Amino acid sequence: MDRCLDGSVVAITGAGRGIGRQLALYCAAQGAAIIVNDPGVAQAGNGGDTAFAQSTASDIIAAGGKAAANFGNVADPAEAQSIIEDAVRKFGRIDAVVNNAGILRDSIWHKMSHEDWTSVIAVNLTGVFNVSKAATPYFREQKAGSFVHFTSTSGLIGNIGQANYSAAKLAVVA
């Protein structure tokens, strides 16, 4: 059976749960080796549990695929770089990046703390920049590579209590 991602290596951020996990399982079923990135934080970005990324990677391996967990925080440039370096070190290359990681800290804008603004922007927007920047030299050298950046209708039409999230997601579109 021909699988559309045979032999490729895909790094997926926020792949421990939810949409990211389903993307990782799907891409692996299509033949890709997967870097499952997820620091295991709660929806608001606090805490951390490596079990989520490890569970997704283990499920892929148990199904006969190739995967490795990465626990880096996309908002940190060095940790974002580690996602791409893990792909190259463990699987020999990087072919695609799926920027799916995101956090929420909802509050009406005039009551929103500076920390709630900056933390959401850091993960949902700067994280996309950091991981993409880390992959770009490899894509240029290979003369190939793909980015998939997730946005939201909150970025396109706005949403009450999500000025930070909406701003980050619309900026990803730009």
Side-chain angles (χ1 to χ4, degrees), residues 13-86:
T13 67
R17 292 173 277 189
I19 293 169
R21 175 180 165 77
Q22 293 308 309
L23 288 167
L25 295 173
Y26 179 79
C27 289
Q30 292 300 312
I34 307 295
I35 293 297
V36 178
N37 164 259
D38 200 313
V41 298
Q43 189 175 28
N46 53 330
D49 185 348
T50 60
F52 297 108
Q54 194 57 59
S55 175
T56 301
S58 295
D59 288 348
I60 291 168
I61 293 165
K66 296 178 183 173
N70 173 286
F71 315 112
N73 177 348
V74 299
D76 179 280
E79 292 184 37
Q81 182 75 37
S82 79
I83 298 165
I84 304 307
E85 295 303 325
D86 278 358

Coordinates of all heavy atoms in Angstrom, one line a residue, residues 13-86:
T13 N 4.2 20.1 16.8 CA 4.2 20.7 18.1 C 2.8 20.6 18.8 O 1.8 20.5 18.1 CB 4.6 22.2 18.1 OG1 3.6 23.0 17.4 CG2 5.9 22.4 17.4
G14 N 2.8 20.5 20.1 CA 1.5 20.3 20.8 C 0.9 18.9 20.4 O -0.3 18.8 20.3
A15 N 1.7 17.9 20.2 CA 1.2 16.6 19.7 C 0.9 15.6 20.8 O 0.6 14.4 20.5 CB 2.2 16.0 18.7
G16 N 0.9 16.0 22.1 CA 0.6 15.1 23.1 C -0.9 14.8 23.3 O -1.2 13.7 23.8
R17 N -1.7 15.7 22.9 CA -3.1 15.6 23.2 C -3.9 16.3 22.0 O -3.3 17.0 21.2 CB -3.6 16.3 24.5 CG -3.0 15.6 25.7 CD -3.3 16.4 26.9 NE -2.3 17.4 27.1 CZ -2.1 18.2 28.1 NH1 -2.9 18.1 29.1 NH2 -1.1 19.1 28.1
G18 N -5.2 16.1 22.0 CA -6.1 16.8 21.1 C -5.7 16.7 19.6 O -5.4 15.6 19.1
I19 N -5.9 17.8 18.9 CA -5.6 17.9 17.5 C -4.2 17.4 17.1 O -4.0 16.7 16.2 CB -5.9 19.3 16.9 CG1 -7.4 19.6 17.0 CG2 -5.5 19.4 15.5 CD1 -7.7 21.1 16.7
G20 N -3.2 17.9 17.9 CA -1.8 17.5 17.6 C -1.6 16.0 17.7 O -0.9 15.5 16.9
R21 N -2.2 15.4 18.7 CA -2.0 13.9 18.8 C -2.6 13.2 17.6 O -2.0 12.3 17.0 CB -2.7 13.4 20.1 CG -2.7 11.9 20.2 CD -3.4 11.5 21.5 NE -3.7 10.1 21.5 CZ -2.9 9.1 21.7 NH1 -1.6 9.4 22.0 NH2 -3.2 7.8 21.7
Q22 N -3.8 13.7 17.2 CA -4.5 13.0 16.0 C -3.7 13.2 14.8 O -3.5 12.4 13.9 CB -5.9 13.5 15.9 CG -6.8 13.1 17.0 CD -6.8 11.6 17.3 OE1 -7.0 10.8 16.4 NE2 -6.6 11.3 18.5
L23 N -3.1 14.4 14.6 CA -2.2 14.7 13.5 C -1.0 13.8 13.5 O -0.6 13.2 12.5 CB -1.7 16.1 13.5 CG -2.8 17.2 13.2 CD1 -2.2 18.6 13.5 CD2 -3.1 17.1 11.7
A24 N -0.4 13.6 14.7 CA 0.8 12.7 14.8 C 0.4 11.3 14.4 O 1.2 10.6 13.7 CB 1.4 12.8 16.2
L25 N -0.7 10.8 14.9 CA -1.1 9.4 14.6 C -1.4 9.3 13.1 O -1.0 8.2 12.5 CB -2.3 9.0 15.5 CG -2.1 9.0 17.0 CD1 -3.5 8.8 17.7 CD2 -1.1 7.9 17.4
Y26 N -2.0 10.2 12.6 CA -2.4 10.2 11.1 C -1.1 10.2 10.3 O -0.9 9.4 9.4 CB -3.3 11.3 10.7 CG -3.6 11.3 9.2 CD1 -4.6 10.4 8.8 CD2 -2.9 12.1 8.4 CE1 -4.8 10.3 7.4 CE2 -3.2 12.0 7.0 CZ -4.2 11.1 6.5 OH -4.4 11.1 5.2
C27 N -0.2 11.1 10.5 CA 1.0 11.2 9.7 C 1.9 10.0 9.9 O 2.4 9.5 8.9 CB 1.8 12.5 10.1 SG 1.0 14.0 9.6
A28 N 1.9 9.4 11.1 CA 2.6 8.2 11.3 C 2.0 7.0 10.5 O 2.7 6.2 9.9 CB 2.7 7.8 12.8
A29 N 0.7 7.0 10.5 CA 0.0 5.9 9.7 C 0.2 6.1 8.2 O 0.2 5.1 7.4 CB -1.5 6.0 10.0
Q30 N 0.6 7.3 7.8 CA 0.9 7.6 6.4 C 2.4 7.4 6.1 O 2.8 7.7 5.0 CB 0.5 9.0 6.0 CG -1.0 9.2 6.0 CD -1.7 8.3 5.0 OE1 -1.3 8.1 3.8 NE2 -2.8 7.6 5.4
G31 N 3.1 6.9 7.1 CA 4.5 6.5 6.8 C 5.6 7.4 7.3 O 6.8 7.2 7.2
A32 N 5.2 8.6 8.0 CA 6.2 9.5 8.4 C 6.8 9.1 9.8 O 6.0 8.5 10.6 CB 5.6 10.9 8.6
A33 N 8.0 9.4 10.0 CA 8.6 9.4 11.4 C 8.2 10.7 12.0 O 8.3 11.8 11.4 CB 10.1 9.2 11.3
I34 N 7.8 10.6 13.3 CA 7.3 11.8 13.9 C 8.1 12.2 15.2 O 8.4 11.4 16.0 CB 5.8 11.5 14.4 CG1 4.9 10.9 13.3 CG2 5.2 12.7 15.1 CD1 4.7 11.9 12.2
I35 N 8.4 13.5 15.2 CA 8.8 14.1 16.5 C 7.6 14.6 17.2 O 6.9 15.5 16.6 CB 9.9 15.2 16.3 CG1 11.2 14.7 15.7 CG2 10.1 16.0 17.6 CD1 11.9 13.7 16.6
V36 N 7.2 14.0 18.3 CA 6.1 14.4 19.1 C 6.5 15.4 20.1 O 7.0 15.1 21.1 CB 5.5 13.1 19.7 CG1 4.2 13.5 20.6 CG2 5.1 12.1 18.7
N37 N 6.3 16.7 19.8 CA 6.6 17.7 20.7 C 5.5 18.1 21.6 O 4.4 18.4 21.1 CB 7.1 19.0 20.0 CG 7.2 20.2 20.9 OD1 6.3 21.0 20.9 ND2 8.1 20.3 21.8
D38 N 5.7 18.1 22.9 CA 4.7 18.6 23.8 C 5.3 18.6 25.2 O 5.7 17.6 25.7 CB 3.5 17.7 23.9 CG 2.2 18.3 24.4 OD1 2.3 19.0 25.5 OD2 1.1 18.2 23.8
P39 N 5.3 19.8 25.8 CA 5.9 19.9 27.2 C 4.9 19.5 28.2 O 5.2 19.4 29.4 CB 6.2 21.4 27.4 CG 5.3 22.1 26.4 CD 5.1 21.2 25.3
G40 N 3.6 19.2 27.8 CA 2.6 18.6 28.7 C 2.0 19.6 29.7 O 1.6 19.3 30.8
V41 N 2.0 20.9 29.2 CA 1.4 21.9 30.1 C -0.1 21.9 30.0 O -0.7 21.3 29.1 CB 1.9 23.3 29.7 CG1 3.4 23.4 29.9 CG2 1.5 23.7 28.3
A42 N -0.8 22.5 31.0 CA -2.2 22.6 31.0 C -2.6 23.6 29.9 O -1.8 24.3 29.3 CB -2.7 23.1 32.4
Q43 N -3.9 23.8 29.7 CA -4.4 24.7 28.6 C -3.9 26.1 28.8 O -3.7 26.8 27.8 CB -5.9 24.7 28.6 CG -6.5 25.4 27.4 CD -8.0 25.2 27.4 OE1 -8.7 25.1 28.4 NE2 -8.6 25.3 26.2
A44 N -3.7 26.5 30.0 CA -3.2 27.9 30.3 C -1.7 28.0 30.2 O -1.1 29.1 30.4 CB -3.7 28.3 31.7
G45 N -1.0 26.9 30.0 CA 0.5 26.9 29.8 C 1.2 26.7 31.1 O 2.5 26.8 31.1
N46 N 0.6 26.3 32.2 CA 1.3 26.0 33.4 C 1.5 24.5 33.6 O 0.8 23.7 33.0 CB 0.5 26.6 34.6 CG -0.9 26.2 34.6 OD1 -1.5 25.9 33.6 ND2 -1.5 26.1 35.8
G47 N 2.4 24.2 34.5 CA 2.7 22.8 34.8 C 3.6 22.2 33.7 O 4.3 22.8 33.1
G48 N 3.5 20.9 33.7 CA 4.3 20.2 32.7 C 4.3 18.7 33.0 O 4.5 18.3 34.2
D49 N 4.1 17.8 32.0 CA 4.0 16.4 32.2 C 4.5 15.7 30.9 O 3.8 15.8 29.9 CB 2.6 16.0 32.6 CG 2.4 14.5 33.0 OD1 3.4 13.7 32.7 OD2 1.4 14.1 33.5
T50 N 5.6 15.1 31.0 CA 6.2 14.4 29.8 C 5.4 13.2 29.3 O 5.6 12.7 28.2 CB 7.6 14.0 30.0 OG1 7.7 13.1 31.1 CG2 8.5 15.2 30.3
A51 N 4.4 12.8 30.2 CA 3.7 11.6 29.8 C 2.8 11.7 28.5 O 2.6 10.8 27.8 CB 2.8 11.2 31.0
F52 N 2.4 12.9 28.2 CA 1.5 13.1 27.1 C 2.3 12.9 25.8 O 1.8 12.1 24.9 CB 0.9 14.5 27.1 CG 0.0 14.7 28.2 CD1 0.4 15.6 29.3 CD2 -1.2 14.1 28.3 CE1 -0.5 15.8 30.4 CE2 -2.1 14.3 29.4 CZ -1.7 15.1 30.4
A53 N 3.4 13.5 25.6 CA 4.2 13.3 24.4 C 4.7 11.9 24.3 O 4.7 11.3 23.3 CB 5.4 14.3 24.4
Q54 N 5.2 11.4 25.5 CA 5.7 10.0 25.5 C 4.6 9.0 25.1 O 4.9 8.0 24.4 CB 6.3 9.7 26.8 CG 7.1 8.4 26.8 CD 8.3 8.5 25.8 OE1 9.1 9.4 25.9 NE2 8.3 7.6 24.8
S55 N 3.4 9.2 25.6 CA 2.3 8.3 25.3 C 2.0 8.3 23.8 O 1.8 7.2 23.2 CB 1.0 8.7 26.1 OG -0.1 8.0 25.7
T56 N 1.9 9.5 23.2 CA 1.7 9.6 21.7 C 2.8 8.9 20.9 O 2.5 8.1 20.0 CB 1.5 11.0 21.2 OG1 0.4 11.6 21.9 CG2 1.3 11.1 19.7
A57 N 4.0 9.1 21.3 CA 5.2 8.5 20.6 C 5.1 7.0 20.8 O 5.3 6.2 19.9 CB 6.5 9.0 21.2
S58 N 4.8 6.5 22.0 CA 4.7 5.1 22.3 C 3.6 4.4 21.5 O 3.7 3.3 21.0 CB 4.5 4.8 23.8 OG 5.6 5.2 24.5
D59 N 2.5 5.1 21.4 CA 1.4 4.6 20.6 C 1.7 4.4 19.1 O 1.4 3.4 18.4 CB 0.1 5.4 20.7 CG -0.5 5.3 22.1 OD1 -0.2 4.4 22.9 OD2 -1.4 6.1 22.4
I60 N 2.5 5.4 18.6 CA 2.9 5.3 17.2 C 3.9 4.1 17.0 O 3.8 3.3 16.1 CB 3.6 6.6 16.8 CG1 2.6 7.7 16.7 CG2 4.4 6.5 15.4 CD1 3.1 9.1 16.5
I61 N 4.8 4.0 17.9 CA 5.8 2.9 17.9 C 5.1 1.5 18.0 O 5.4 0.6 17.3 CB 6.9 3.0 18.9 CG1 7.7 4.3 18.6 CG2 7.7 1.8 19.1 CD1 8.6 4.8 19.7
A62 N 4.1 1.4 18.9 CA 3.4 0.2 19.1 C 2.6 -0.2 17.8 O 2.4 -1.4 17.6 CB 2.4 0.3 20.3
A63 N 2.2 0.8 17.0 CA 1.5 0.5 15.8 C 2.4 0.2 14.6 O 2.0 0.1 13.5 CB 0.6 1.7 15.5
G64 N 3.7 0.2 14.9 CA 4.7 -0.1 13.9 C 5.4 1.1 13.2 O 6.1 0.9 12.3
G65 N 5.1 2.3 13.8 CA 5.7 3.5 13.2 C 6.9 3.9 13.9 O 7.4 3.2 14.8
K66 N 7.5 5.0 13.5 CA 8.7 5.6 14.1 C 8.3 6.9 14.7 O 7.6 7.8 14.1 CB 9.7 5.9 13.0 CG 10.2 4.6 12.4 CD 11.3 5.0 11.3 CE 11.7 3.7 10.6 NZ 12.6 4.1 9.4
A67 N 8.7 7.1 16.0 CA 8.4 8.4 16.7 C 9.4 8.6 17.8 O 10.0 7.6 18.4 CB 7.0 8.3 17.2
A68 N 9.6 9.8 18.2 CA 10.3 10.2 19.4 C 9.7 11.4 20.1 O 9.2 12.2 19.4 CB 11.8 10.5 19.0
A69 N 9.7 11.4 21.4 CA 9.1 12.5 22.1 C 10.1 13.6 22.3 O 11.3 13.3 22.5 CB 8.6 12.0 23.5
N70 N 9.6 14.8 22.3 CA 10.4 16.0 22.6 C 9.5 16.9 23.5 O 8.4 17.1 23.2 CB 10.8 16.8 21.3 CG 11.4 18.1 21.6 OD1 10.8 19.0 22.0 ND2 12.7 18.2 21.4
F71 N 10.1 17.4 24.6 CA 9.4 18.1 25.6 C 9.6 19.6 25.6 O 9.3 20.3 26.6 CB 9.6 17.5 27.0 CG 9.6 16.0 27.0 CD1 10.8 15.3 27.2 CD2 8.4 15.3 26.7 CE1 10.7 13.9 27.1 CE2 8.4 13.9 26.7 CZ 9.5 13.2 26.9
G72 N 10.2 20.1 24.6 CA 10.6 21.5 24.5 C 9.4 22.5 24.4 O 8.4 22.2 23.9
N73 N 9.7 23.7 25.0 CA 8.7 24.8 24.9 C 9.0 25.6 23.7 O 10.1 26.2 23.6 CB 8.9 25.6 26.2 CG 7.9 26.8 26.2 OD1 7.3 27.2 25.2 ND2 7.9 27.5 27.4
V74 N 8.0 25.7 22.8 CA 8.2 26.4 21.5 C 8.5 27.9 21.7 O 9.1 28.5 20.8 CB 7.0 26.2 20.6 CG1 6.8 24.7 20.2 CG2 5.7 26.8 21.1
A75 N 8.1 28.4 22.8 CA 8.3 29.9 23.1 C 9.8 30.2 23.3 O 10.2 31.3 23.2 CB 7.5 30.3 24.2
D76 N 10.6 29.2 23.7 CA 12.0 29.3 23.9 C 12.8 29.0 22.7 O 12.7 27.8 22.2 CB 12.4 28.4 25.1 CG 13.9 28.6 25.4 OD1 14.7 27.9 24.7 OD2 14.2 29.3 26.4
P77 N 13.6 29.9 22.1 CA 14.3 29.5 20.9 C 15.2 28.3 20.9 O 15.2 27.5 20.0 CB 15.1 30.8 20.6 CG 14.4 31.9 21.3 CD 13.8 31.3 22.5
A78 N 15.9 28.1 22.0 CA 16.8 26.9 22.1 C 16.0 25.7 22.2 O 16.3 24.6 21.6 CB 17.7 27.1 23.4
E79 N 14.9 25.7 22.9 CA 14.0 24.5 23.0 C 13.3 24.2 21.7 O 13.1 23.0 21.3 CB 13.0 24.6 24.2 CG 13.7 24.6 25.5 CD 12.8 24.7 26.7 OE1 11.7 24.0 26.6 OE2 13.1 25.3 27.7
A80 N 12.9 25.2 21.0 CA 12.3 25.1 19.7 C 13.4 24.4 18.7 O 13.1 23.5 18.0 CB 11.9 26.4 19.1
Q81 N 14.6 24.9 18.8 CA 15.7 24.3 18.0 C 15.9 22.8 18.3 O 16.1 22.0 17.4 CB 17.0 25.1 18.3 CG 18.2 24.6 17.5 CD 18.1 25.1 16.0 OE1 17.7 26.2 15.7 NE2 18.5 24.2 15.1
S82 N 15.7 22.5 19.6 CA 15.8 21.0 20.0 C 14.8 20.1 19.3 O 15.1 19.0 19.0 CB 15.7 20.9 21.5 OG 14.4 20.9 21.9
I83 N 13.7 20.7 19.0 CA 12.7 19.9 18.3 C 13.2 19.4 16.9 O 13.1 18.3 16.5 CB 11.4 20.7 18.1 CG1 10.8 21.1 19.4 CG2 10.4 19.9 17.2 CD1 9.7 22.1 19.4
I84 N 13.8 20.4 16.2 CA 14.3 20.1 14.8 C 15.6 19.3 14.9 O 15.8 18.3 14.2 CB 14.6 21.4 14.1 CG1 13.3 22.3 14.0 CG2 15.1 21.2 12.7 CD1 12.1 21.6 13.5
E85 N 16.4 19.6 15.9 CA 17.7 18.8 16.1 C 17.4 17.4 16.4 O 18.1 16.5 15.9 CB 18.6 19.5 17.1 CG 19.1 20.9 16.7 CD 19.9 20.9 15.4 OE1 20.6 19.9 15.1 OE2 19.7 21.9 14.7
D86 N 16.3 17.1 17.2 CA 15.9 15.8 17.5 C 15.5 15.0 16.2 O 15.9 13.8 16.1 CB 14.8 15.7 18.5 CG 15.3 15.9 20.0 OD1 16.5 16.0 20.2 OD2 14.4 15.9 20.9

